Amino acid sequence: MAPPAGNSSIHRSSSRPQLDVSKAEIQGNLEEKDPTILLPNQSDDLSHLALDIGGSLIKLVYFSRHEDQSSDDKRKRSVKDRLGISNGNRRSYPILGGRLHFVKFETRKINECLDFISSKQLHCGGLESHYTGADRNAIIKATGGGAYKYADLFKERLGVSLDKEDEMDCLVAGANFLLKAIRHEAFTHMEGQKEFVQIDPNDLFPYLLVNIGSGVSMIKVDEEGKFERVSGTNVGGGTYWGLGRLLTKCKSFDELLELSQKGDNSNIDMLVGDIYGGLDYSKIGLSASTIASSFGKTISEKKELSDYRPEDISLSLLRMISYNIGQIAYLNALRFGLKRIFFGGFFIRGHAYTMDTISFAVHFWSKGEAQAMFLRHEGFLGALGAFMSYEKHGLDDLMVHHLVERFPMGAPYTGGKIHGPPLGDLNEKISWMEKFLQKGTEITAPVPMTPASGTTGLGGFEVPLSKGSTLRPDASALNVGVLHLVPTLEVFPLLADIKTYEPNTIDLADPSELEYWLKVLSDHLPDLVDKAVASEGGTDDAKKRGDAFAHAFSAHLARLMEEPTAYGKLGLANLLEMREECLREFHFGDAYKSIKQRENEASLAVLPDLLMELDGMDEETRLLTLIEGVLAANIFDWGSRACVELYHKGTIIEIYRMSRNKMQRPWRVDDFDGFKERILGDKKQPPHRRALLFVDNSGADVVLGMLPLARELLLRGTEVVLVANSLPALNDVTAMELPDIVAEAAKHCDILRRAAEAGGLLVDAMINASDSSKENSSSVPLMVVENGCGSPCIDLRQVSSELAAAAKDADLVILEGMGRALHTNLNAQFKCDALKLAMVKNQRLAEKLVKGNIYDCICKYEPAS
């Protein structure tokens, strides 16, 4: 039951031991961008689990550490020393650098929940815990009525005590965290259309939180830890379920909701049009379809209950109750002058009709001035709040850029049916995918799919071509991913305005754009699987994992075809990163590793001749040739089908030379003259202090394109920082690979050698006679930093601490490649000079962005804003 009206604040339990942070240190890994904070003197007596046990659903929030994969990375140590990056400001909570998982079970199947907790040893600190004892008096935080009802069962089965937390405290704490820490957590829902809303964490309070369970509580939240229950109603989810059960004979809440999907409430409800001969009552703003009286038609009709369709009854009930909740909520918001109204609770379940009706009521009574908003994680507010009631949970100070949401196979989704417990290890995932292929929809998919008459060719899965009657009743529900807590991610400090920055250039909210890019990803899938399997030696195990990856990623694509907003607000960057994450999920670390090595070797072999050619030019011709070289070399992109076809027509060097020979100005976007003027024009203006070069592909792109450009900037006294991916994505070069490439290039160029030595990239000096005339011309450093992501694109709201530190003294940013300069950041504004270079390798993109053609070039220079 809700507490009486009055101020309240969440209680921090002291039932758990305090953390021992002595000798704490951050441990990293060459391939792992999310570091673990190690507490060598900390016992494992720290709970990793909290529960919200309701009447119909059990919601779990649990934490998992990253595996300890520490390694000695000389590049990282060198960058830290040079840029002054310190570990001293890191909060020493083990939660940071880990993952938060969201899981749910039906309460009537509570034994499945207990089995799951036991199998993962969550009540003992998780599988990562070193504790092996069996008689520990563990305590788990729990909220909801079931925390009392099932306390003895938890003690009997798991040997743990449930520490009960107040429901209202937990709801508010969970909502506050989600709204402040997760970008686009809130969304509106009108006439079947979801639109995500960005909430400014500094302008969140006050707001009204409407929790719709069996009854309804309305909570005015004034600030962190301060809230008051100001109203409520006894007509809520329990009313809908109780009346629905009596009138329709449904045996479950979900069955009743499913019936409403097929209902027509106009057969039961009296509408405005029924009173006014099918016309609107426009004088007071009522349309003909507005409900004048719920169940009103049954008064004048000589029918018995059995004469009415259960589907119509269910929908009429749903709309009656939802409308009244929306109306009461708005009137309370008006009463207290609150701008925002958020709705949550089990009654909503991501159900489209419920959200639409609540939204209509708020919109109608406010005359369009207020909006009803819903939360993606609405079912987990209580469990998350219970988790936060532990001492030293480490979530309070997390900011939005510290959180990355990913969607592995087995992640749950809100609303509707329960789609099985999460899938665990790799073998379990592969086994599940094989069963799905054999039995089709008899197996319930954690990432759900629905068969339809047509097929989109998404990995062999039959999926609906568009929304329609073939979808599951809960198709509009939203998936809930795993939250990765990454304290080393920061906002790129050179963005002109973080509030207006939008990384994605293409809007996937446009159905035609989404359908096109889903097809592009689907068409590319067979070739990607071949490369991934080959990268692992083509073994039977690799083939098995490759098949599982193909069907898993196809499931993601099918889910997005079914419900475009299933994973929140997605841009093309998120979609591409999802593919890379799915590859890693099935243990394909670097699908293009051998291809990258081969192309790097071929490009390095001709680099000395290119450098000699450049050194024979005057500076104006050389600068133009360098930019042409970057654009020409950017043609090598295994993510572009058109470019992949070129690989069959010649060697890497032949393709590069062909591309360079076709470089003719003016380019489609041609700001070269402005860039030339800044570099060569005003001799009174000093050279740039530090340039950040965001590199793209391995091979000719980085070796024959970006490295010569970096060399030119070094010659002019500019420090150069090469910014590369933290993790592999397609044939993109990574920060781990770049030092070896630079070292090889430095064998033929003293300028690069001295700069690399100064930047800590080379351990031993490599003496070479070439470039001897410029022996003392450069001692500025060349450094390599990781960007914090593993995607062909980059969202500058979340970059590595290395990159953020390097940016503080930078006054030139060069973004190269389709992913970083076109798919994302084409419209980004910076505080410093910025140059965006790319060859457009997709005809649709060329037409959409620059009204041009495939292989058109972009040279966009923007002085500091």
Side-chain angles (χ1 to χ4, degrees):
M1 296 294 292
N7 290 341
S8 182
S9 60
I10 193 161
H11 168 68
R12 301 290 185 207
S13 168
S14 57
S15 61
R16 308 300 295 167
Q18 299 293 304
L19 297 185
D20 185 348
V21 298
S22 58
K23 297 184 180 180
E25 61 176 339
I26 293 180
Q27 291 216 342
N29 165 334
L30 285 171
E31 297 185 8
E32 176 63 70
K33 70 173 182 176
D34 306 344
T36 298
I37 296 180
L38 267 208
L39 302 177
N41 298 326
Q42 170 64 29
S43 75
D44 284 307
D45 191 21
L46 183 75
S47 181
H48 290 67
L49 169 68
L51 304 124
D52 178 2
I53 310 175
S56 58
L57 295 175
I58 301 173
K59 284 80 67 177
L60 287 76
V61 172
Y62 73 92
F63 165 71
S64 66
R65 293 185 181 95
H66 285 305
E67 294 178 7
D68 181 17
Q69 295 177 322
S70 58
S71 61
D72 185 26
D73 187 342
K74 295 177 181 177
R75 180 199 64 78
K76 285 190 176 183
R77 289 206 308 273
S78 172
V79 166
K80 282 184 178 181
D81 292 341
R82 173 163 286 280
L83 299 178
I85 301 173
S86 169
N87 291 344
N89 64 347
R90 299 288 178 221
R91 293 178 297 275
S92 301
Y93 299 155
I95 188 81
L96 297 175
R99 302 178 178 96
L100 276 182
H101 304 257
F102 300 84
V103 190
K104 61 181 179 177
F105 294 87
E106 291 177 273
T107 305
R108 65 188 179 90
K109 297 180 180 178
I110 191 170
N111 285 320
E112 289 184 7
C113 174
L114 294 167
D115 291 341
F116 173 74
I117 294 172
S118 178
S119 68
K120 285 189 171 291
Q121 294 291 293
L122 296 179
H123 58 306
C124 302
L127 292 174
E128 306 95 333
S129 173
H130 301 296
Y131 183 83
T132 56
D135 58 349
R136 183 174 60 169
N137 183 27
I139 296 172
I140 292 175
K141 291 290 184 180
T143 189
Y148 298 87
K149 183 176 181 179
Y150 297 107
D152 291 342
L153 182 61
F154 272 80
K155 188 70 174 177
E156 178 187 333
R157 285 284 311 274
L158 301 177
V160 300
S161 300
L162 297 184
D163 188 4
K164 292 91 173 172
E165 292 293 326
D166 180 78
E167 283 189 70
M168 205 72 72
D169 287 350
C170 292
L171 282 170
V172 174
N176 286 343
F177 170 75
L178 291 168
L179 288 168
K180 289 195 298 183
I182 298 184
R183 190 175 285 114
H184 301 125
E185 169 66 21
F187 64 93
T188 60
H189 197 290
M190 284 288 284
E191 297 180 353
Q193 297 300 310
K194 296 185 184 75
E195 184 173 331
F196 290 93
V197 180
Q198 178 59 51
I199 303 294
D200 182 351
N202 299 315
D203 189 32
L204 171 61
F205 304 109
Y207 68 85
L208 188 71
L209 178 62
V210 182
N211 185 56
I212 313 172
S214 297
V216 182
S217 287
M218 300 189 184
I219 309 160
K220 180 167 73 77
V221 184
D222 294 305
E223 59 185 58
E224 196 71 57
K226 183 181 178 183
F227 60 87
E228 179 184 2
R229 185 184 187 275
V230 295
S231 185
T233 171
N234 57 358
V235 178
T239 313
Y240 173 64
W241 172 215
L243 286 174
R245 187 169 179 272
L246 290 173
L247 296 173
T248 68
K249 309 303 181 187
C250 281
K251 294 186 170 52
S252 74
F253 187 89
D254 287 325
E255 184 185 352
L256 188 63
L257 272 181
E258 285 187 30
L259 277 182
S260 70
Q261 291 283 137
K262 305 166 188 174
D264 181 354
N265 64 300
S266 67
N267 294 327
I268 292 180
D269 295 338
M270 183 182 293
L271 309 182
V272 169
D274 296 325
I275 301 173
Y276 291 95
L279 301 176
D280 298 339
Y281 189 178
S282 55
K283 184 176 181 179
I284 60 172
L286 296 178
S287 69
S289 60
T290 302
I291 299 173
S293 174
S294 294
F295 287 84
K297 273 188 184 169
T298 63
I299 300 171
S300 57
E301 293 177 340
K302 296 180 180 179
K303 291 182 180 180
E304 300 297 325
L305 178 61
S306 58
D307 295 325
Y308 292 97
R309 296 173 65 236
E311 293 88 345
D312 299 339
I313 294 172
S314 177
L315 182 56
S316 182
L317 264 178
L318 184 71
R319 291 208 152 143
M320 177 181 74
I321 292 168
S322 300
Y323 184 89
N324 277 275
I325 292 171
Q327 178 186 13
I328 296 171
Y330 169 69
L331 293 176
N332 274 281
L334 182 66
R335 171 186 167 201
F336 292 101
L338 303 177
K339 296 184 293 183
R340 298 189 181 92
I341 313 172
F342 298 102
F343 293 83
F346 88 89
F347 176 68
I348 294 172
R349 303 268 187 113
H351 193 270
Y353 286 168
T354 308
M355 293 187 288
D356 264 355
T357 307
I358 290 173
S359 297
F360 172 79
V362 172
H363 183 271
F364 176 79
W365 285 101
S366 70
K367 294 181 170 59
E369 293 183 3
Q371 287 182 309
M373 288 185 279
F374 307 91
L375 305 178
R376 287 186 55 235
H377 291 79
E378 61 87 14
F380 292 96
L381 300 187
L384 186 56
F387 188 93
M388 295 179 71
S389 69
Y390 286 113
E391 285 283 349
K392 304 295 185 184
H393 54 77
L395 295 183
D396 273 340
D397 298 322
L398 281 178
M399 300 180 71
V400 65
H401 55 268
H402 292 140
L403 291 162
V404 180
E405 188 174 19
R406 298 193 176 117
F407 297 89
M409 292 304 294
Y413 72 111
T414 62
K417 297 177 179 176
I418 308 300
H419 284 259
L423 302 177
D425 59 22
L426 181 64
N427 288 331
E428 188 179 348
K429 292 181 181 183
I430 293 173
S431 173
W432 180 86
M433 294 307 301
E434 289 173 344
K435 288 178 183 177
F436 184 87
L437 292 177
Q438 291 167 4
K439 296 190 177 183
T441 54
E442 292 177 29
I443 305 293
T444 309
V447 179
M449 293 158 284
T450 292
S453 57
T455 178
T456 59
L458 297 176
F461 281 93
E462 292 183 341
V463 297
L465 294 174
S466 61
K467 292 187 178 183
S469 59
T470 59
L471 298 184
R472 294 185 329 276
D474 53 7
S476 65
L478 302 179
N479 292 62
V480 175
V482 175
L483 282 182
H484 291 236
L485 312 180
V486 193
T488 54
L489 290 180
E490 299 183 27
V491 176
F492 188 59
L494 294 178
L495 285 173
D497 185 356
I498 181 62
K499 290 184 179 180
T500 59
Y501 170 73
E502 168 54 51
N504 292 288
T505 309
I506 300 298
D507 184 8
L508 292 187
D510 180 340
S512 64
E513 288 293 340
L514 179 64
E515 188 170 344
Y516 172 78
W517 289 105
L518 290 180
K519 187 175 187 307
V520 167
L521 291 172
S522 176
D523 290 345
H524 183 242
L525 195 53
D527 183 66
L528 179 58
V529 172
D530 288 344
K531 296 290 188 301
V533 172
S535 73
E536 300 280 328
T539 63
D540 289 342
D541 174 68
K543 291 175 182 176
K544 191 175 182 181
R545 286 185 285 120
D547 286 342
F549 156 73
H551 288 96
F553 188 59
S554 292
H556 285 302
L557 298 181
R559 179 71 176 119
L560 285 167
M561 184 71 75
E562 178 185 55
E563 173 48 69
T565 60
Y567 301 130
K569 185 178 181 180
L570 282 191
L572 191 55
N574 309 100
L575 207 52
L576 294 172
E577 182 154 23
M578 182 181 286
R579 177 183 62 189
E580 302 303 324
E581 285 296 329
C582 195
L583 273 170
R584 288 188 273 272
E585 187 179 352
F586 288 93
H587 293 195
F588 290 107
D590 190 350
Y592 288 81
K593 183 177 181 179
S594 59
I595 293 172
K596 291 192 293 184
Q597 289 174 340
R598 187 167 64 246
E599 293 185 356
N600 286 337
E601 290 169 1
S603 302
L604 285 163
V606 299
L607 178 63
D609 291 339
L610 174 61
L611 298 181
M612 188 178 299
E613 177 188 345
L614 289 167
D615 288 341
M617 301 174 181
D618 63 81
E619 61 178 12
E620 187 170 327
T621 304
R622 185 168 67 244
L623 185 62
L624 175 59
T625 304
L626 285 165
I627 298 302
E628 287 178 340
V630 171
L631 294 171
N634 192 234
I635 198 171
F636 296 98
D637 187 345
W638 281 92
S640 164
R641 178 165 292 279
C643 295
V644 170
E645 291 173 357
L646 288 176
Y647 281 90
H648 303 300
K649 299 178 181 179
T651 66
I652 183 173
I653 302 307
E654 289 170 343
I655 298 169
Y656 170 70
R657 286 175 179 155
M658 174 209 65
S659 181
R660 263 191 68 179
N661 290 337
K662 290 186 176 182
M663 285 289 121
Q664 291 186 349
R665 296 183 67 197
W667 300 312
R668 194 63 191 174
V669 175
D670 194 336
D671 296 332
F672 172 75
D673 291 340
F675 181 66
K676 181 184 72 173
E677 180 63 24
R678 172 62 183 89
I679 299 296
L680 306 177
D682 188 355
K683 299 299 182 183
K684 295 180 181 178
Q685 197 170 6
H688 291 98
R689 294 186 307 275
R690 176 182 291 168
L692 304 180
L693 275 61
F694 288 74
V695 297
D696 189 8
N697 305 303
S698 293
D701 197 354
V702 67
V703 175
L704 304 181
M706 292 299 276
L707 272 184
L709 179 58
R711 177 179 179 264
E712 181 70 17
L713 293 170
L714 290 165
L715 264 172
R716 296 181 175 279
T718 299
E719 291 185 9
V720 174
V721 180
L722 300 176
V723 184
N725 267 17
S726 300
L727 297 171
L730 293 173
N731 63 320
D732 290 1
V733 68
T734 67
M736 184 174 69
E737 297 161 345
L738 259 181
D740 289 339
I741 294 172
V742 171
E744 284 299 310
K747 292 178 180 178
H748 309 286
C749 174
D750 280 353
I751 297 168
L752 291 175
R753 176 181 59 80
R754 286 193 297 272
E757 287 174 354
L761 293 179
L762 302 181
V763 179
D764 301 315
M766 293 173 287
I767 305 299
N768 193 286
S770 63
D771 287 336
S772 58
S773 63
K774 304 182 182 72
E775 182 71 36
N776 298 309
S777 63
S778 175
S779 59
V780 291
L782 172 64
M783 292 174 279
V784 171
V785 300
E786 60 179 350
N787 60 17
C789 75
S791 165
C793 303
I794 186 167
D795 182 342
L796 294 173
R797 293 171 300 194
Q798 294 181 301
V799 302
S800 71
S801 55
E802 288 182 13
L803 175 52
K808 288 175 183 175
D809 292 324
D811 51 358
L812 174 63
V813 167
I814 300 180
L815 292 160
E816 182 242 355
M818 272 187 32
R820 294 160 189 82
L822 286 184
H823 289 315
T824 53
N825 301 306
L826 179 63
N827 302 316
Q829 298 293 308
F830 297 93
K831 297 175 183 176
C832 65
D833 295 347
L835 180 66
K836 299 165 186 177
L837 300 169
M839 177 183 285
V840 191
K841 291 155 288 191
N842 176 281
Q843 180 62 35
R844 183 186 178 95
L845 202 63
E847 294 171 1
K848 185 93 174 176
L849 297 185
V850 295
K851 295 182 172 58
N853 294 301
I854 192 168
Y855 304 129
D856 276 348
C857 291
I858 309 295
C859 176
K860 186 176 182 181
Y861 174 65
E862 298 161 319
S865 59

